[in-house]
Amino acid sequence: MSEVRFPSTPTAHIGHESARVAHSSASAFRPQKPGVVLEPGRFDKTYWSDLWSYRELFLILAWRDVAVQYRQTVIGVFWAAIRPLLTMVVFTAVFGDLALLPSEGESPYAIMVMAGMLPWFLISTSLTNASNSLVMNSSLISKVYFPRLILPVACAAVALVDFIVSSVVLIGLMIASGFSPSWQILLLPACVVLAIIAGLGTGLIFAALNVRYRDFRVIVPFLMQLGLFASPVGFSSSLIPEAFRFIYSLNPAVGVIDGFRWCLLGGQANIFWPGFLISSSVSLFLFWSGIRIFRVTERTFADVI
Amino acid sequence: MSSVVVSAQSVGKCYTIGHRSGDRAPTLRDALVRTAGRIIRASSDIAQGRAVVSGDEREDFWALKDVSFEIQAGDIVGLVGRNGAGKSTLLKILSRITDPSCGRIEIVGRVASLLEVGTGFHQELTGRENIFLNGAIMGMSSAEVRGKLDEIVDFAGIDRFLETPVKRYSNGMYVRLAFAVAAHLEPDILIVDEVLAVGDAGFRRKGLAKIQEASRAGRTVILVSHDMAVTTALCKSAIWLDGGLLRQIGPAAEVTRGYMMEATSPHGQFMSRLQGDGGRSFRILDVQIMDAAGDVRRMFSCDEGISVVIHYFVRRSVPHLRGGMEILREDDVLVMVSDSMDREHGTLSALKEGHGTIRIRIPERTLSPGDYRVSLNFSRADGLPDEDVDCQGHVAVFSLHDHLTSRGNARGGFFSLRLEWTSECEA
């Protein structure tokens, strides 16, 4: 004899009286504690409340990413300020002093560039980090359950912290040049939210795609490189010829940057409102489809990551 | 009185895998044609919303099929089965990491899983920070962690290093801290996968005690271990999975006996790429016991040499890989130990990436007749973290019979060596 044969039937065998497994019928199932039903393709009605109950994990993951980002660096969080500052200096020199492009109204060119640089970095950082967030945390995804949406959203929170640090540069710049904003600055928080919607929304789409197709690891940094020049960061969007402004506004960053400039530079910036509306709608649409795509694909993340 | 906390009905999980037909492309032209074909195929897969798989033939693979069972509150249930039997897949479904492809599972209460200790530990963070991070990942609230912080630190024995980044921890400290956090979880259902394989004997005992304590407190524990002695000692009942199907379910002693008596059948399917833990650098795919002719069997004569053949897959070469084998008698008495340092220094440290086999030969007439279990243990000899090295525990059984000597199977003791008897007459 080489093998003991057991019938491989799908139902449970009850080998022994004392076996406590599988001897009671399904009708004995009476949920008293919070339970869960696992079924293929179940539509999760509790998706958002589930997300809310994991808010503490969200805070801790966001805190982790902030804490880890500048560990073992000498100047720490100041890196968040130095990157946009140096980029601003180069852009001001190239576009303002060499190419002699006009600023918005009477505002100094450096402040105009910085007012575009900050939202651009907020969008690109949240987008890039969010799209890498799932792959970077693949060991978590394949070993623990939690609402996957937490990871990219935590990345957006980290980008927001960087943004707040780097705004100090802009404030310093404004004080140094004696430029005072007007009442429009009160609407700035709305523009910050719009920037996060644009960055995170697109980031969610890329994050979901990145799990399956790592091509996006190459595509996203390249897109961000192009976007820095395609968006009105180093120049004013009023330079775009009238005929192309609608098409130009399809870039979600255009609306965000224009909105920022309008809030910060006050009366000096003339905003093209129809373009702003188109751009903001594109951002909202990307955000909505980002969440949709993410929700549809998130169930298979652990299988394909 | 007891109530059902987990109820699974005809649960299945299907993966799509790819095969590559034919050999490697012989010429550059063939390689280009093949690459172009792959891109076209991948594009059409994306367009149709299917998963892109490597290789040019696709196949549905059922890692788990039609599995039904119920688990009562407060039970410790062992999950046994060979590599690729579907244990990990079942645990992943139970812990909500992945969805079942069909069937339905109802779970009452909070589930926490210890699929691997130290999940989510961040190298740059300190011990204290990692306790909070890891606790949150496993589903503890910060208030809960704060309340148990002293207990966790005490259990791990790392109080002096609480503010040190864990990247400076020794391997042992790291594992102890990770397990300490996990041990202080208080879910209704605890899923444990092989965490007991880590640490020294003292720490293992602590871990086992913690599991029993959890069960006494009314928690349900689902435990996967390759160590049948642990499964039998801890579990009331056991579930045996084989090839994705439910093979047997019942009292732990009965199921493990059946599992251990089963021949290590020769279907060496390379399944590691299907599962998440296929990401390990070194993975054991199958272990077979064969005779000199290469036939896989379970019963051998004492007079034939037998080989333990380990089929492995190396994803990334592991420096200083060390393999150890223990042979235990039916009654758990350790009979012999051998490791890869026995012969050449560092036999395994140069294993190339890819599939291969390791062969350990036991010469004829070494062990006395009886039933034996083979237990394997792979680690890194240089003491660096080796959680990405498959560490298997009990993997195979075989039995030896003595037909040729006059004592035959009645020979006791450990060895069946035929010693030389000489006599000399003083006359």
Side-chain angles (χ1 to χ4, degrees):
Chain A
M1 72 126 220
S2 65
E3 231 177 84
V4 189
R5 267 262 152 256
F6 291 91
S8 18
T9 51
T11 45
H13 290 269
I14 308 151
H16 203 270
E17 191 61 36
S18 69
R20 294 177 66 201
V21 173
H23 66 70
S24 72
S25 69
S27 63
F29 186 86
R30 221 172 287 114
Q32 297 122 347
K33 288 181 189 159
V36 63
V37 176
L38 311 178
E39 261 178 324
R42 90 201 107 96
F43 180 70
D44 235 339
K45 277 175 233 139
T46 58
Y47 188 81
W48 296 108
S49 63
D50 201 24
L51 195 64
W52 176 244
S53 66
Y54 276 85
R55 61 192 178 280
E56 207 160 327
L57 179 62
F58 161 75
L59 289 175
I60 284 191
L61 286 178
W63 161 81
R64 175 196 73 174
D65 291 344
V66 172
V68 161
Q69 197 171 16
Y70 300 111
R71 280 259 160 127
Q72 221 169 342
T73 60
V74 178
I75 59 170
V77 78
F78 289 105
W79 279 117
I82 286 171
R83 268 194 324 154
L85 181 66
L86 291 181
T87 322
M88 181 275 286
V89 169
V90 172
F91 273 30
T92 308
V94 173
F95 291 110
D97 297 338
L98 286 180
L100 296 172
L101 296 180
S103 178
E104 298 271 7
E106 297 298 311
S107 56
Y109 205 87
I111 292 185
M112 196 229 24
V113 171
M114 202 59 198
M117 194 69 69
L118 289 184
W120 170 257
F121 268 96
L122 179 55
I123 294 176
S124 74
T125 313
S126 53
L127 195 160
T128 312
N129 291 356
S131 55
N132 287 327
S133 60
L134 299 173
V135 176
M136 295 280 281
N137 288 290
S138 61
S139 68
L140 275 190
I141 288 181
S142 56
K143 283 178 193 110
V144 196
Y145 168 78
F146 55 89
R148 283 18 176 148
L149 201 54
I150 284 180
L151 288 171
V153 177
C155 287
V158 175
L160 189 63
V161 171
D162 275 6
F163 168 79
I164 290 166
V165 172
S166 51
S167 353
V168 175
V169 177
L170 179 67
I171 294 170
L173 214 57
M174 287 170 109
I175 293 171
S177 58
F179 187 91
S180 58
S182 40
W183 62 270
Q184 283 95 336
I185 201 163
L186 296 175
L187 291 172
L188 193 66
C191 287
V192 175
V193 171
L194 187 64
I196 288 179
I197 283 177
L200 183 60
T202 322
L204 286 176
I205 300 176
F206 285 140
L209 289 168
N210 205 358
V211 169
R212 238 170 231 281
Y213 317 112
R214 296 291 149 83
D215 309 51
F216 286 90
R217 262 177 141 155
V218 186
I219 294 174
V220 170
F222 180 61
L223 270 183
M224 290 303 100
Q225 216 175 345
L226 290 183
L228 178 59
F229 293 97
S231 310
V233 179
F235 50 88
S236 158
S237 61
S238 53
L239 289 179
I240 305 297
E242 206 59 44
F244 295 105
R245 283 207 88 165
F246 279 105
I247 295 176
Y248 192 61
S249 301
L250 289 176
N251 175 357
V254 170
V256 176
I257 293 172
D258 282 355
F260 258 78
R261 285 197 176 133
W262 181 75
C263 291
L264 286 166
L265 308 179
Q268 304 295 338
N270 4 341
I271 187 164
F272 179 59
W273 286 108
F276 177 78
L277 285 179
I278 292 174
S279 197
S280 310
S281 323
V282 172
S283 296
L284 284 172
F285 174 73
L286 285 173
F287 188 66
W288 175 80
S289 34
I291 289 181
R292 269 202 74 94
I293 292 174
F294 197 88
R295 281 191 65 173
V296 169
T297 50
E298 80 178 317
R299 298 208 175 101
T300 57
F301 283 168
D303 297 335
V304 293
I305 203 158
Chain B
M1 89 141 253
S2 60
S3 61
V4 179
V5 287
V6 179
S7 147
Q9 290 142 31
S10 322
V11 173
K13 178 75 189 178
C14 180
Y15 291 96
T16 306
I17 57 174
H19 292 295
R20 186 159 301 176
S21 64
D23 302 325
R24 300 180 74 97
T27 66
L28 178 63
R29 204 194 56 191
D30 290 353
L32 288 176
V33 167
R34 208 168 275 188
T35 308
R38 210 171 59 228
I39 292 172
I40 291 168
R41 208 165 25 248
S43 318
S44 82
D45 282 345
I46 294 169
Q48 292 166 38
R50 292 195 297 186
V52 175
V53 296
S54 61
D56 39 22
E57 285 167 33
R58 53 173 65 238
E59 185 194 319
D60 282 348
F61 170 81
W62 286 88
L64 209 60
K65 204 169 186 181
D66 223 358
V67 172
S68 306
F69 58 89
E70 280 177 3
I71 294 173
Q72 308 285 329
D75 263 3
I76 306 183
V77 180
L79 196 53
V80 302
R82 297 153 44 80
N83 267 350
K87 301 186 301 287
S88 304
T89 307
L90 181 57
L91 292 192
K92 279 185 178 173
I93 292 173
L94 287 175
S95 49
R96 296 183 69 186
I97 293 165
T98 181
D99 266 5
S101 307
C102 59
R104 176 187 169 89
I105 299 182
E106 288 177 58
I107 296 173
V108 183
R110 196 165 72 141
V111 180
S113 58
L114 310 183
L115 294 194
E116 225 160 274
V117 288
T119 301
F121 264 38
H122 199 288
Q123 297 292 321
E124 298 287 343
L125 298 177
T126 68
R128 179 197 298 274
E129 290 166 337
N130 265 310
I131 292 175
F132 279 92
L133 175 64
N134 196 227
I137 285 169
M138 306 235 233
M140 274 196 261
S141 70
S142 311
E144 236 178 299
V145 178
R146 219 169 291 126
K148 289 182 186 154
L149 189 64
D150 292 339
E151 230 179 298
I152 293 173
V153 172
D154 202 44
F155 190 88
I158 53 128
D159 45 338
R160 278 174 53 217
F161 305 99
L162 201 52
E163 308 302 338
T164 312
V166 295
K167 64 180 172 184
R168 313 229 187 279
Y169 277 30
S170 75
N171 198 25
M173 280 158 63
Y174 186 90
V175 167
R176 284 205 306 274
L177 178 62
F179 190 82
V181 181
H184 288 83
L185 277 172
E186 286 181 352
D188 301 305
I189 301 164
L190 181 66
I191 295 177
V192 185
D193 188 4
E194 288 292 11
V195 280
L196 300 171
V198 300
D200 52 33
F203 193 74
R204 270 181 67 142
R205 258 197 307 279
K206 250 173 154 178
L208 293 178
K210 204 77 197 174
I211 286 180
Q212 276 168 322
E213 193 187 304
S215 166
R216 268 197 301 275
R219 278 182 255 293
T220 310
V221 181
I222 301 172
L223 171 76
V224 171
S225 175
H226 281 101
D227 192 334
M228 288 305 118
V230 168
T231 308
T232 320
L234 273 182
C235 303
K236 281 198 191 86
S237 46
I239 296 170
W240 174 9
L241 291 177
D242 188 16
L245 294 167
L246 190 108
R247 181 74 173 271
Q248 197 187 359
I249 183 166
E254 217 169 87
V255 175
T256 51
R257 198 181 317 131
Y259 171 64
M260 272 159 57
M261 285 315 288
E262 161 135 343
T264 51
S265 57
H267 54 80
Q269 291 183 33
F270 297 115
M271 302 204 179
S272 63
R273 62 182 167 201
L274 297 174
Q275 284 145 21
D277 33 333
R280 285 183 184 164
S281 301
F282 175 81
R283 185 157 163 82
I284 299 171
L285 303 167
D286 199 9
V287 178
Q288 300 170 323
I289 304 202
M290 45 179 78
D291 59 19
D295 287 332
V296 177
R297 287 192 283 153
R298 199 174 78 80
M299 290 166 63
F300 300 90
S301 157
C302 284
D303 288 276
E304 53 186 348
I306 61 176
S307 296
V308 178
V309 179
I310 303 159
H311 296 269
Y312 66 82
F313 177 69
V314 173
R315 220 172 124 95
R316 278 177 303 274
S317 176
V318 182
H320 306 287
L321 182 66
R322 189 199 68 93
M325 176 183 73
E326 290 181 352
I327 295 181
L328 296 103
R329 219 160 60 175
E330 206 180 11
D331 53 1
D332 280 341
V333 171
L334 178 62
V335 178
M336 80 182 274
V337 176
S338 172
D339 74 13
S340 57
M341 305 301 199
D342 278 359
R343 279 293 160 93
E344 293 161 58
H345 185 68
T347 322
L348 304 181
S349 56
L351 285 188
K352 296 228 165 45
E353 286 165 20
H355 292 281
T357 54
I358 298 166
R359 197 173 281 266
I360 309 161
R361 192 172 174 280
I362 305 169
E364 66 274 11
R365 298 219 72 87
T366 306
L367 301 169
S368 59
D371 293 330
Y372 296 94
R373 295 192 281 124
V374 178
S375 170
L376 291 176
N377 184 356
F378 282 82
S379 60
R380 286 183 64 150
D382 56 2
L384 286 174
D386 52 7
E387 56 268 21
D388 62 340
V389 171
D390 218 354
C391 179
Q392 281 299 315
H394 162 79
V395 283
V397 289
F398 66 94
S399 47
L400 289 176
H401 293 266
D402 196 347
H403 309 293
L404 296 178
T405 59
S406 56
R407 248 174 207 280
N409 284 338
R411 185 190 294 269
F414 291 103
F415 307 109
S416 65
L417 283 166
R418 289 217 217 193
L419 303 179
E420 205 169 318
W421 286 60
T422 52
S423 61
E424 217 171 297
C425 257
E426 286 180 34

